[in-house]
Amino acid sequence: MRVDPSFDAFVEQKSAALLRLAYLLTGDRGHAEDLLQTALLRTMRRWSKACHAPEAYVRHVMINLSRDRIRALLRRPRETALPEDTNAFRSDDPGLDGIGDRRMVTDAIRKLPVRQRQVIVLRYFEDLSVEQTAELLDCSSGTVKSYTSRALSRLRELLGDFHETNGRRAFQ
């Protein structure tokens, strides 16, 4: 797509001021950058019409986009803070209570070094054998066993308080 050189010059000259306006409209740097980018894209598409008063055109587009964003935010349900008592979320369905457990395990796995994490995911979540894991990771089965041992040891440390309080042991 060819862009008119006068549009490029306009963006170069006015983008900082327009970003300030976008920030004041949104109150957030990330949203402001998105708003400005979308407004400039729309202006570029209509450059033959906008080139006579480009700054006013972009401002008009930004105002409309920010109104649309506010309307969209107002349509969303309001968020409320979670209660302090986590027992309020306990249910009769053990599967639902396992969601928090899963999150703790996932967070612990994220703390492992990359190769150990890969081995744990492939062995225990994908249910691959030592040989299949070794083939995928292009290493020996002894290396897979070594990484598995280290990873499980580290996970036991990370989840120590968790499995003691829940009366069960993870990753045996």
Side-chain angles (χ1 to χ4, degrees), residues 59-128:
R59 278 195 202 115
H60 186 72
V61 172
M62 286 178 21
I63 295 294
N64 287 340
L65 288 171
S66 67
R67 284 182 187 154
D68 290 346
R69 180 176 172 269
I70 290 168
R71 284 186 203 119
L73 289 173
L74 291 175
R75 281 191 298 264
R76 287 178 40 187
R78 296 279 177 215
E79 295 178 6
T80 58
L82 293 174
E84 293 290 325
D85 181 21
T86 57
N87 289 326
F89 295 111
R90 296 284 178 207
S91 78
D92 295 333
D93 182 0
L96 291 177
D97 288 337
I99 292 171
D101 298 350
R102 222 174 302 139
R103 183 169 292 134
M104 290 183 74
V105 171
T106 303
D107 290 343
I109 288 172
R110 262 192 228 122
K111 294 176 183 174
L112 294 174
V114 175
R115 292 295 270 191
Q116 290 180 16
R117 185 178 338 129
Q118 290 171 340
V119 167
I120 291 296
V121 168
L122 292 173
R123 294 275 293 120
Y124 295 99
F125 290 88
E126 293 297 314
D127 203 27
L128 297 180

Side-chain angles (χ1 to χ4, degrees), residues 125-145:
F125 290 88
E126 293 297 314
D127 203 27
L128 297 180
S129 68
V130 172
E131 292 75 24
Q132 291 170 321
T133 303
E135 186 178 328
L136 274 174
L137 296 177
D138 195 29
C139 62
S140 70
S141 55
T143 302
V144 169
K145 291 175 186 177

Side-chain angles (χ1 to χ4, degrees), residues 11-61:
V11 170
E12 236 177 88
Q13 291 172 353
K14 299 295 182 178
S15 63
L18 291 170
L19 182 59
R20 260 191 311 276
L21 172 64
Y23 179 77
L24 293 172
L25 289 171
T26 62
D28 179 81
R29 172 85 182 193
H31 290 300
E33 290 171 351
D34 291 343
L35 179 73
L36 178 59
Q37 182 176 3
T38 304
L40 289 174
L41 181 62
R42 289 185 182 185
T43 303
M44 182 188 70
R45 289 181 184 155
R46 304 264 185 190
W47 186 245
S48 61
K49 179 182 175 184
C51 68
H52 304 294
E55 198 167 355
Y57 191 92
V58 173
R59 278 195 202 115
H60 186 72
V61 172

